[in-house]
Amino acid sequence: MLKFFRKVERTRNFVILLFAFILVLSLVLFYSPSGGVQENLTRSDEIAATVGSERITIGDIAMLQERLRQSQPQILPTSYLLESMIQEKIVRIEAARLGLTATDEEIATQIREANQSPDGQPFDKKRYEQNAIQQAGSISAYEESIRDSISRQKLIAYVTAGVRVSEEEILNDYKRRNTKFNLTYVPVNTADLTENITPTDAELKDYFEKNKKSYYISSPQKKIKYVFFETAKIGETLKFTDEELKAAYDKLPADKKQAGMRVQEIVLRVNKPEDDAQVLQKANEIIETLKKSGETITEDKFGEVAKGQSEKPSTALNGGKVEGLVRENPNNPTDPYQRILSMKEGEFTEPLKFGSNYYILRRGQSVAKPFEDTKREIEVSRRNSKAYEANAALATKASESLKKSKDPQKVAEEFASQTNMNVADMIRETGFVKPGDEIDKLGISQDFEQGILSLNKVNDVGDKIPIPGGFAIPMLVGKKDPREAEFDEVRSQVVEAVKAKKAREEVDKIAKKIASESSSASDLSASAKSEGLEAQEAKDFILGSPLGGGPSATTSEALEDAVFALKPGEITKQPVKVGDNWFVVGVNSREEANMENFPKEREQMVRTKLNEKRMRVFSDFLASRKLAMEKKGDIKIYKDAIAKLDKANQENQPQIPNFPQGLQLPEQPQGSE
């Protein structure tokens, strides 16, 4: 640990240190999974990529994926995470090259400032070590993450030192942000037109002949027969005793055995904005009253203050007790109740502003989640993991058996009873497929493509391949070399291409016709109806908001520029293209920006605009450095290693019970009226 900690005497809430993690791609918050295949991957030192002398291991990526899995069900693609981690390695390398790597003294200063205690309490070395290890796995790793954070900020400052913002830019941005429009507009959607187009056979064949080179099959096509082993079927045969499940429950970390925490509140309402300072002063006076009991306060004493001071009757009458329990909810970081999760029982918060209220919260007792309430979740988790392990072992044996017999039917009959499956359900066969093709029951599977890559002779057998729901043991039963495609082979692709082409041509003509036939915004509705379309309205439209509805809602800089240039009654005489869609827009009325507020907002706008420009410049800098390193061969990605992570993610079997998330507060904190 840094030497300066021996001299530190004051502390503050440790959570401030997490600022360092937000600045770096410390989405790589270190996390220890709880078992199974994914745990093995998080401990792997196998190299997934190298960036200069820096390494990214399978373990690094797997830990990040596990951490993210706790806050979102959808796993981000490995390629996306790897790209982000490569960027962070480039930042570290560039900071070192330019002499901008943070020193121990700079790290010490940042942590010392973050640990200043307003109440004069000495620095709690033991608590620091515990929190550092919990967040990063070790104290040295935690401090290294802070080093990366400071280095990144120094590099950003260096690269963007010349970035400036002009007064004209700020003034123009203010006007664009604060000018309101009432619009009539017609979206001409390519996707909608595509659905109503039915090409003739003659059109399809003509297009195919003219674009035959586009459909050249450049990769060998393989026909695969495979034996399927379904994990869920094996899971159905597994039995678990209460003793086994209780033993698993006992091994869970303490925080996974909690149903939640009780909380008390004191709520002060801000009825008018001008009353905010007065309400905050009252809240601070209440805090001083509470502090007379020390840093913690009993439930009864807090309840007495709540009954006399809280302005929320539904909880005030009950001594401030909030109905229900507070649980961790990373999907709602603005929820003030989440603050109590890092507090000790009896501690209370400073006044927290949320919506139009101030909240003072006290953490109450932790409520345990007994074994009986978690028994089913533990059983499901163990069934998933045990079934996966058993299925993987059987699939390995089956692969060896198929390599000897070359007879999928015989292998299926041999293992059917052990897999709890019918022989007929175990035998599957693909058509002739190449990389990127969609396969029945598999979709587009990189794992399957990788697994059959080495199969080049008929009757070649591969190792087990993880696929949705289980494993496949593949055998090559047919092969076609690269060649010109026949029409029937690619008919479906040709149909989609012709429909899209005709839709693009049609959408262009329709949009231009609507624009040419409309002399003002009031004409747009009639012009749209003549083409079978409907004009739409947008009231109090502000630039930056999307036009359209549903998945096709969109905007662009060109569209916003076109709208901003219009006067009341005018329309865009040329349709504006956004992606594959076109917009014809008319302005019914326009309310210019109120310039009285510009002086108040100017300073914040300068900071925001400057930060935006700096981030663009820095992003371009990283992209250019990445391109240069790729050209020199300084960035290498090991696809075989990445494939292991993709396999684990496809299975994605949970390793611990899915405990309930925190309070769902889309607009208000729990218990708000």
Side-chain angles (χ1 to χ4, degrees):
M1 188 171 66
L2 297 172
K3 294 180 180 178
F4 84 91
F5 275 122
R6 300 191 184 101
K7 301 178 181 179
V8 177
E9 295 180 351
R10 298 166 68 84
T11 188
R12 191 168 57 181
N13 196 325
F14 181 84
V15 74
I16 299 174
L17 292 178
L18 295 182
F19 172 75
F21 289 93
I22 298 172
L23 295 176
V24 189
L25 177 89
S26 278
L27 280 171
V28 192
L29 281 170
F30 295 78
Y31 174 83
S32 297
S34 56
V37 175
Q38 191 70 13
E39 178 182 20
N40 294 334
L41 289 174
T42 62
R43 295 175 179 175
S44 174
D45 290 329
E46 184 175 354
I47 298 175
T50 57
V51 184
S53 60
E54 297 284 335
R55 303 191 318 162
I56 299 172
T57 67
I58 289 179
D60 295 333
I61 305 174
M63 281 194 290
L64 174 54
Q65 289 175 329
E66 275 298 293
R67 174 59 183 171
L68 294 178
R69 188 176 285 117
Q70 306 309 304
S71 59
Q72 57 185 44
Q74 186 66 37
I75 301 173
L76 291 174
T78 303
S79 58
Y80 174 86
L81 299 179
L82 180 61
E83 175 65 24
S84 299
M85 296 174 81
I86 287 173
Q87 283 198 6
E88 290 308 317
K89 296 299 184 185
I90 294 174
V91 168
R92 181 181 291 184
I93 290 169
E94 288 301 302
R97 181 177 69 87
L98 296 169
L100 301 174
T101 301
T103 64
D104 285 355
E105 183 178 353
E106 289 171 322
I107 298 170
T109 299
Q110 177 161 318
I111 300 179
R112 182 167 54 242
E113 290 175 353
N115 280 273
Q116 291 178 355
S117 175
D119 56 10
Q121 293 294 318
F123 174 71
D124 189 337
K125 178 181 175 182
K126 185 176 180 181
R127 185 180 181 188
Y128 165 77
E129 291 175 343
Q130 291 174 342
N131 283 312
I133 292 170
Q134 181 182 1
Q135 291 297 330
S138 70
I139 296 170
S140 60
Y142 185 85
E143 291 170 357
E144 191 63 23
S145 71
I146 296 179
R147 187 187 306 278
D148 286 342
S149 172
I150 298 173
S151 300
R152 180 186 180 90
Q153 294 309 303
K154 291 171 71 175
L155 182 61
I156 290 174
Y158 177 87
V159 172
T160 64
V163 176
R164 297 290 184 271
V165 176
S166 69
E167 190 67 22
E168 183 180 0
E169 286 179 283
I170 298 302
L171 187 60
N172 187 53
D173 272 8
Y174 178 83
K175 291 178 179 179
R176 288 172 68 96
R177 276 178 43 177
N178 292 278
T179 300
K180 294 182 180 180
F181 303 86
N182 285 335
L183 305 178
T184 298
Y185 66 97
V186 183
V188 190
N189 192 308
T190 303
D192 291 343
L193 292 179
T194 300
E195 294 178 3
N196 299 321
I197 294 174
T198 305
T200 65
D201 283 348
E203 288 176 318
L204 294 175
K205 290 178 180 178
D206 179 63
Y207 181 88
F208 173 71
E209 290 299 328
K210 291 179 179 177
N211 296 275
K212 210 167 187 177
K213 291 183 179 179
S214 301
Y215 296 98
Y216 181 81
I217 300 173
S218 58
S219 301
Q221 290 176 301
K222 298 178 180 181
K223 189 173 186 179
I224 302 294
K225 181 174 285 189
Y226 64 95
V227 186
F228 175 53
F229 285 68
E230 186 175 357
T231 301
K233 285 292 184 180
I234 292 180
E236 292 173 3
T237 67
L238 300 177
K239 305 295 181 184
F240 300 97
T241 65
D242 282 357
E243 290 73 17
E244 288 179 281
L245 299 178
K246 182 62 167 61
Y249 171 80
D250 291 339
K251 291 179 181 179
L252 289 175
D255 62 322
K256 299 301 182 184
K257 297 179 183 178
Q258 289 181 355
M261 300 169 188
R262 300 198 184 280
V263 62
Q264 290 172 276
E265 66 180 8
I266 296 172
V267 183
L268 302 179
R269 302 187 184 282
V270 181
N271 296 317
K272 295 180 291 185
E274 54 266 31
D275 294 339
D276 191 282
Q278 182 179 350
V279 176
L280 177 59
Q281 181 180 351
K282 180 180 177 181
N284 285 324
E285 290 172 356
I286 293 175
I287 292 292
E288 293 303 315
T289 300
L290 297 175
K291 284 184 176 179
K292 292 178 181 178
S293 298
E295 293 303 311
T296 62
I297 189 171
T298 65
E299 178 182 308
D300 290 341
K301 288 185 177 180
F302 188 94
E304 290 174 6
V305 178
K307 288 178 181 178
Q309 300 288 348
S310 183
E311 297 173 1
K312 184 177 175 184
S314 60
T315 57
L317 294 175
N318 196 29
K321 293 179 183 178
V322 175
E323 185 178 352
L325 301 173
V326 175
R327 306 176 186 86
E328 183 179 6
N329 183 12
N331 293 323
N332 195 4
T334 61
D335 172 15
Y337 292 93
Q338 294 290 298
R339 280 287 302 276
I340 72 164
L341 298 175
S342 60
M343 296 163 54
K344 297 177 181 177
E345 183 178 341
E347 288 184 336
F348 48 89
T349 68
E350 73 279 11
L352 304 175
K353 182 71 178 293
F354 189 87
S356 60
N357 298 332
Y358 277 99
Y359 292 80
I360 300 171
L361 306 177
R362 174 191 176 273
R363 171 172 169 171
Q365 290 181 329
S366 297
V367 178
K369 189 172 187 179
F371 168 65
E372 288 301 324
D373 290 349
T374 60
K375 177 180 175 180
R376 175 59 182 162
E377 294 166 342
I378 296 173
E379 182 179 350
V380 169
S381 175
R382 286 184 65 79
R383 187 179 306 282
N384 288 339
S385 60
K386 292 294 184 182
Y388 181 89
E389 293 171 6
N391 200 24
L394 279 179
T396 299
K397 292 179 181 179
S399 175
E400 296 304 316
S401 180
L402 186 56
K403 287 175 183 178
K404 294 177 182 178
S405 69
K406 309 293 185 181
D407 187 342
Q409 182 75 19
K410 181 179 178 181
V411 171
E413 292 172 354
E414 178 185 353
F415 287 90
S417 61
Q418 299 176 67
T419 60
N420 192 32
M421 294 180 67
N422 295 321
V423 172
D425 295 333
M426 296 178 70
I427 305 296
R428 294 181 178 180
E429 189 171 304
T430 73
F432 282 95
V433 296
K434 65 182 185 303
D437 284 350
E438 187 166 341
I439 302 173
D440 182 40
K441 298 180 181 177
L442 299 182
I444 299 175
S445 172
Q446 293 182 353
D447 286 327
F448 194 79
E449 292 172 6
Q450 188 70 26
I452 67 173
L453 189 62
S454 61
L455 308 184
N456 293 307
K457 296 179 181 179
V458 173
N459 290 335
D460 277 357
V461 176
D463 296 327
K464 69 175 186 289
I465 304 171
I467 62 173
F471 293 94
I473 314 300
M475 186 175 82
L476 182 67
V477 294
K479 183 179 179 181
K480 292 182 180 180
D481 292 326
R483 69 197 191 287
E484 286 190 354
E486 297 176 8
F487 174 72
D488 289 340
E489 290 183 284
V490 294
R491 179 186 175 89
S492 61
Q493 299 172 45
V494 174
V495 169
E496 293 304 315
V498 172
K499 289 172 67 174
K501 178 176 180 293
K502 295 186 73 173
R504 284 193 294 270
E505 293 170 352
E506 193 69 16
V507 77
D508 184 13
K509 293 177 184 177
I510 291 173
K512 288 179 178 178
K513 186 178 180 182
I514 291 173
S516 64
E517 292 180 351
S518 304
S519 58
S520 67
S522 59
D523 295 338
L524 279 179
S525 182
S527 299
K529 283 183 178 179
S530 68
E531 297 299 324
L533 300 174
E534 288 189 12
Q536 300 181 29
E537 303 287 331
K539 303 292 186 183
D540 294 329
F541 177 81
I542 298 175
L543 298 186
S545 305
L547 278 180
S552 61
T554 186
T555 188
S556 71
E557 188 173 353
L559 180 60
E560 292 176 4
D561 288 344
V563 171
F564 191 67
L566 294 176
K567 297 177 182 178
E570 292 182 340
I571 67 167
T572 52
K573 288 315 257 179
Q574 290 297 324
V576 181
K577 187 178 182 183
V578 184
D580 283 338
N581 304 321
W582 294 84
F583 287 87
V584 183
V585 185
V587 172
N588 299 309
S589 63
R590 172 175 177 147
E591 181 183 336
E592 300 295 341
N594 182 358
M595 299 307 297
E596 290 182 4
N597 293 325
F598 177 67
K600 300 177 184 177
E601 298 185 23
R602 181 187 173 282
E603 185 177 348
Q604 179 59 43
M605 290 185 66
V606 169
R607 288 197 296 268
T608 300
K609 187 70 173 179
L610 189 59
N611 186 58
E612 289 176 358
K613 293 182 73 173
R614 282 173 174 166
M615 289 303 101
R616 283 199 297 269
V617 169
F618 187 64
S619 179
D620 291 343
F621 168 77
L622 290 182
S624 66
R625 294 304 305 146
K626 180 173 182 284
L627 182 61
M629 293 182 74
E630 287 175 336
K631 287 182 177 179
K632 290 175 61 179
D634 288 342
I635 296 178
K636 297 179 181 178
I637 297 174
Y638 298 88
K639 295 183 179 180
D640 289 345
I642 299 300
K644 294 181 181 180
L645 284 171
D646 290 332
K647 289 179 182 179
N649 289 335
Q650 274 201 349
E651 292 301 324
N652 192 25
Q653 298 293 344
Q655 302 300 317
I656 57 176
N658 243 346
F659 290 91
Q661 294 296 313
L663 300 168
Q664 300 301 312
L665 305 172
E667 297 179 356
Q668 306 183 86
Q670 175 182 344
S672 294
E673 295 178 339

